């Protein structure tokens, strides 16, 4: 018989607060057209994107995260000293070690929290949210800060007609804490590594370091393959998340998919047969694809503009490089 005592965490976990940060520089499609042969009409029709935000040198991964985290902590009504864990999802922090989460934790004033980075691409927020829920329920932390943050402008090839217009920068954060009722459903997550070549970094860092290539590594993708996978396969995953939460599409108030592409979002809405009363996040139009930051940024905007309200039931799903995915149903803070 085991001598280990049972954990004494919360019965359930919930999102208590949300915050976001978008860089001050707004970049319209006209800027993108300076380096690719395309048109504003083509970019809008293919992606739904009209503008995106690009970070200045001062708006680092850490700096943007600190801004978003501060807002989320204030929104949750707690103090930084109460944060017991900091999870940061990013693919664009270029210092391999230490984890940027440790720097962020120190800057926000958290006291010796668990702090680590994860790399799960555009599904990273869902992965972080799931880990945070486990920490709260397990009792290893009462409050956990989950941050999705990217400076994808650093990984954008402005001469790549397929991706130059897609990516933006920003940070989104949530605080996860104890709840007396279920407020974060079971996560449906996974990976399809046989499709890992469809979204990838062009070359390893070492190829650039060793002079084997002259062009700095960037993110590239096979657009049509990604579109088909996202629309058809991720709609199935989204339905599985609804089933796991014990609800139907009719019970939803809000749908917050990864802000990859407006066509993907609209196609998923159609495939899932979401009722007209469901509010759909379409933050991609003015923010672009911010990978791990896209879901919390979209959530924050919906709440700030009154398109969604506290207590609403929302389906969130992230998907991207790996190929990886994560979907769950949450109660909005």
């Amino acid at each position: 018989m085991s001598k280990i005592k049972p954990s004494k965490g919360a019965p359930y976990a919930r999102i208590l607060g949300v915050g976001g940060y978008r860089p001050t520089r707004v970049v319209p499609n006209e800027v993108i057209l300076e380096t690719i042969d395309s048109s504003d009409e083509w970019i809008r029709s293919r992606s739904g994107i009209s503008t995106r935000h690009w970070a200045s040198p001062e708006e680092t991964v850490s700096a943007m995260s600190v801004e978003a985290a501060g807002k989320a902590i204030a929104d949750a009504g707690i103090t930084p000293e109460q944060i017991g864990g900091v999870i940061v999802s990013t693919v664009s922090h270029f210092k391999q070690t230490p984890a940027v989460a440790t720097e962020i934790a120190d800057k926000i004033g958290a006291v010796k929290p668990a702090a680590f980075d994860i790399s799960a691409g555009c599904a990273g927020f869902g992965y972080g949210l799931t880990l945070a829920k486990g920490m709260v329920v397990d009792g290893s932390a009462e409050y956990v800060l989950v941050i999705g943050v990217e400076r994808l402008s650093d990984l954008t090839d402005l001469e790549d007609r397929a991706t130059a217009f897609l990516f933006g920068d920003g940070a989104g954060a949530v605080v996860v804490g104890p709840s007396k009722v279920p407020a974060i459903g079971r996560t449906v997550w996974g990976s399809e590594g046989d499709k890992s070549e469809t979204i990838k970094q062009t070359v390893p860092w070492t190829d650039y370091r060793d002079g084997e290539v002259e062009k700095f590594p960037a993110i590239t993708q096979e657009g049509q393959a990604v579109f088909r996978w996202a629309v058809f396969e991720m709609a199935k995953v989204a339905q599985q998340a609804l089933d796991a939460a014990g609800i139907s599409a009719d019970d939803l108030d809000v749908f917050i998919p990864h802000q990859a592409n407006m066509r993907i979002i609209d196609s998923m809405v159609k495939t899932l047969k979401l009722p007209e009363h469901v509010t759909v996040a379409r933050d991609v139009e003015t923010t672009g694809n911010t990978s791990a930051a896209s879901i919390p940024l979209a959530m924050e905007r919906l709440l700030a503009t009154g398109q969604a309200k506290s207590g609403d039931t929302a389906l969130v799903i992230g998907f991207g490089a790996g190929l990886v995915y994560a979907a769950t149903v949450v109660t909005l803070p």
Side-chain angles (χ1 to χ4, degrees):
M1 180 178 290
S2 174
K3 298 180 180 179
I4 300 173
K5 294 181 180 180
S7 299
K8 295 183 179 180
Y12 305 103
R14 69 180 299 135
I15 299 174
L16 298 173
V18 60
Y21 180 81
R22 292 171 174 82
T24 55
R25 183 187 177 193
V26 177
V27 180
N29 288 339
E30 286 74 19
V31 172
I32 307 299
L33 297 175
E34 294 174 3
T35 52
I36 60 171
D37 181 16
S38 187
S39 68
D40 177 64
E41 181 183 2
W42 187 88
I43 292 174
R44 289 173 185 262
S45 65
R46 298 290 293 181
S47 68
I49 298 172
S50 60
T51 61
R52 73 284 292 146
H53 295 257
W54 283 355
S56 68
E58 293 76 27
E59 291 169 317
T60 63
V61 164
S62 175
M64 292 191 293
S65 296
V66 169
E67 291 291 331
K71 295 175 183 178
I73 292 169
D75 192 44
I78 65 170
T79 65
E81 292 82 4
Q82 292 175 275
I83 298 292
V86 178
I87 303 171
V88 177
S89 177
T90 185
V91 298
S92 49
H93 177 60
F94 294 151
K95 184 182 289 185
Q96 192 70 39
T97 192
V100 73
T102 59
E103 178 184 337
I104 295 165
D106 179 61
K107 287 183 176 179
I108 65 172
V111 181
K112 297 183 179 180
F116 56 95
D117 299 349
I118 59 175
S119 176
C122 304
F125 175 75
Y127 275 54
L129 183 65
T130 305
L131 295 173
K133 172 188 173 183
M135 292 167 71
V136 171
V137 173
D138 176 69
S140 62
E142 186 175 11
Y143 300 99
V144 180
L145 179 66
V146 180
I147 301 170
V149 57
E150 302 292 1
R151 273 182 55 116
L152 294 181
S153 57
D154 291 333
L155 286 169
T156 299
D157 180 355
L158 293 177
E159 296 178 347
D160 181 355
R161 190 172 183 271
T163 61
F165 57 90
L166 285 176
F167 303 121
D169 303 336
V174 299
V175 171
V176 177
S179 175
K180 294 181 180 180
V181 296
I184 301 176
R186 179 170 65 83
T187 300
V188 177
W189 56 354
S191 64
E192 297 184 32
D194 60 317
K195 300 180 180 66
S196 61
E197 291 294 301
T198 56
I199 307 175
K200 64 179 182 179
Q201 183 171 306
T202 49
V203 295
W205 300 114
T206 48
D207 285 5
Y208 181 74
R209 179 199 65 189
D210 297 339
E212 295 181 24
V213 295
E214 294 183 359
K215 207 167 193 176
F216 193 74
I219 297 174
T220 186
Q221 68 175 31
E222 298 173 15
Q224 286 302 314
V226 172
F227 180 87
R228 289 192 297 269
W229 176 79
V231 170
F232 298 108
E233 296 304 317
M234 291 305 97
K236 297 175 186 177
V237 171
Q239 183 60 54
Q240 290 170 17
L242 291 174
D243 295 341
I247 66 172
S248 69
D250 290 336
D251 298 312
L252 279 180
D253 300 303
V254 184
F255 179 44
I256 311 177
H258 164 49
Q259 301 294 293
N261 179 304
M262 194 74 79
R263 290 172 63 223
I264 290 176
I265 294 170
D266 290 341
S267 295
M268 288 185 70
V269 168
K270 185 177 180 180
T271 302
L272 285 167
K273 299 179 180 178
L274 295 184
E276 288 188 7
H277 76 262
V278 176
T279 297
V280 179
R282 292 186 171 88
D283 191 46
V284 67
E285 180 181 0
T286 57
T287 306
N289 180 342
T290 56
S291 189
S294 79
I295 290 176
L297 278 174
M299 182 185 295
E300 185 255 359
R301 176 161 281 174
L302 288 176
L303 289 166
T305 58
Q307 297 176 71
K309 63 184 186 299
S310 175
D312 278 353
T313 299
L315 169 63
V316 299
I317 179 170
F319 45 86
L323 293 170
V324 295
Y325 55 87
T328 189
V329 175
V330 303
T331 300
L332 294 183

